[in-house]
Amino acid sequence: MRKVIVAGNWKMNKTAKEAAQFFNELKPLVADVKNAGIVIGAPFTALETATRETAGSNIKIAAENMNAKESGAYTGEVSPLMLKDLGVEYVILGHSERREYYHETDEIINEKVKSALAHDLKPILCIGEKLEEREAGTTNDVVKTQIVGGLKDVTAAEMANVVLAYEPVWAIGTGKTATPEQAQEVHAFIRGLLTDLYGKEVAENVTVQYGGSMNDANAADLIAQTDIDGGLVGGASLIPEKFAVIIKAGDAAAK
């Protein structure tokens, strides 16, 4: 039975002090969640606070990016060893904003995925098409290219620690959301592609989240779809009360 995981991606928001306040508010709201995994992706400057504030709780912490190298002359970068040292368990890789603004290619993202796995970090690999690609009917081609490229040389055994997040770029931060049916269609395609790459047993056990303007109002309908295993949540993850509703929708779906 694959795990439902609801992850928040704060992006470039929240100071360390604001993060501490957030967790103090969120923890009691989700203390009774037993079935869904809860992850918060915090900016580098808030990671130490985040891991400290969530110690002993049911909330895990993700970094929003990392360098594939362990150390070296890479000014401004953060390595997997640094993340492990802080108690981080997940890392978000290949987000559309990293691809768009920082020109990260599938090759760069693949190196990061492999490095994360080598250092016992669980990558949340983001994939998804732009509006013009959806309108051109190339959604599946784009998603396939990103998955095949991002998972190059990742073994079937390693897939047990990989989470995929389908995020249609046209629905990120726009208020537009894929309908549950649209999202499920792509998730089913992803599951089929994973079956081709790794076999049915592996494919059935990979968590595939939906991201793209998931919020407290639409989460339950999205997560109820057969192949949608939680969400990677942006704006709504900044507000404890709203994020708790999404987490509980995931928890209900996981029962």
Side-chain angles (χ1 to χ4, degrees):
M1 187 73 181
R2 60 183 177 266
K3 191 169 182 63
V4 171
I5 299 174
V6 177
N9 179 19
W10 285 354
K11 308 189 180 184
M12 197 171 70
N13 292 291
K14 293 197 185 296
T15 63
K17 183 177 180 180
E18 290 168 340
Q21 181 179 347
F22 174 92
F23 288 115
N24 285 335
E25 294 177 21
L26 180 67
K27 284 188 291 186
L29 295 176
V30 299
D32 60 345
V33 170
K34 305 294 184 190
N35 301 295
I38 308 170
V39 179
I40 287 284
F44 291 133
T45 53
L47 287 176
E48 185 172 10
T49 297
T51 54
R52 182 180 67 245
E53 294 293 332
T54 57
S57 77
N58 55 354
I59 302 169
K60 307 299 184 184
I61 300 302
E64 297 179 18
N65 184 35
M66 70 168 212
N67 193 290
K69 302 289 195 297
E70 289 188 348
S71 62
Y74 304 100
T75 301
E77 291 293 291
V78 174
S79 80
L81 294 181
M82 295 171 182
L83 299 181
K84 287 293 292 182
D85 184 58
L86 290 176
V88 169
E89 295 188 36
Y90 289 81
V91 57
I92 300 168
L93 298 173
H95 192 280
S96 62
E97 291 157 2
R98 299 296 312 177
R99 295 175 187 265
E100 179 74 17
Y101 304 148
Y102 304 102
H103 312 295
E104 291 191 4
T105 63
D106 289 325
E107 291 75 19
I108 290 170
I109 294 161
N110 177 241
E111 289 302 313
K112 293 183 179 188
V113 168
K114 291 186 292 187
S115 177
L117 291 167
H119 292 91
D120 296 319
L121 290 163
K122 297 176 181 177
I124 299 175
L125 173 61
C126 301
I127 68 256
E129 82 283 7
K130 297 179 181 178
L131 180 60
E132 58 267 29
E133 292 166 335
R134 171 164 280 272
E135 290 177 341
T138 59
T139 293
N140 289 357
D141 294 334
V142 171
V143 167
K144 180 177 181 179
T145 297
Q146 291 175 344
I147 290 177
V148 171
L151 296 178
K152 184 175 183 290
D153 299 324
V154 173
T155 68
E158 288 174 323
M159 286 303 294
N161 289 313
V162 174
V163 176
L164 295 181
Y166 168 61
E167 295 198 307
V169 180
W170 49 271
I172 298 174
T174 62
K176 296 180 180 179
T177 311
T179 65
E181 294 75 21
Q182 286 174 320
Q184 166 58 24
E185 184 179 359
V186 181
H187 277 247
F189 170 77
I190 291 169
R191 194 84 58 198
L193 177 60
L194 291 173
T195 301
D196 293 341
L197 293 172
Y198 294 105
K200 186 173 180 61
E201 183 177 354
V202 171
E204 285 298 321
N205 283 289
V206 175
T207 296
V208 185
Q209 303 171 313
Y210 172 78
S213 297
M214 178 180 279
N215 56 48
D216 52 325
N218 62 29
D221 288 340
L222 286 161
I223 298 173
Q225 300 299 308
T226 303
D227 290 294
I228 298 180
D229 313 313
L232 182 58
V233 183
S237 73
L238 296 169
I239 304 166
E241 295 80 8
K242 290 181 179 290
F243 193 47
V245 172
I246 301 171
I247 291 167
K248 291 188 175 184
D251 196 48
K255 290 179 181 178

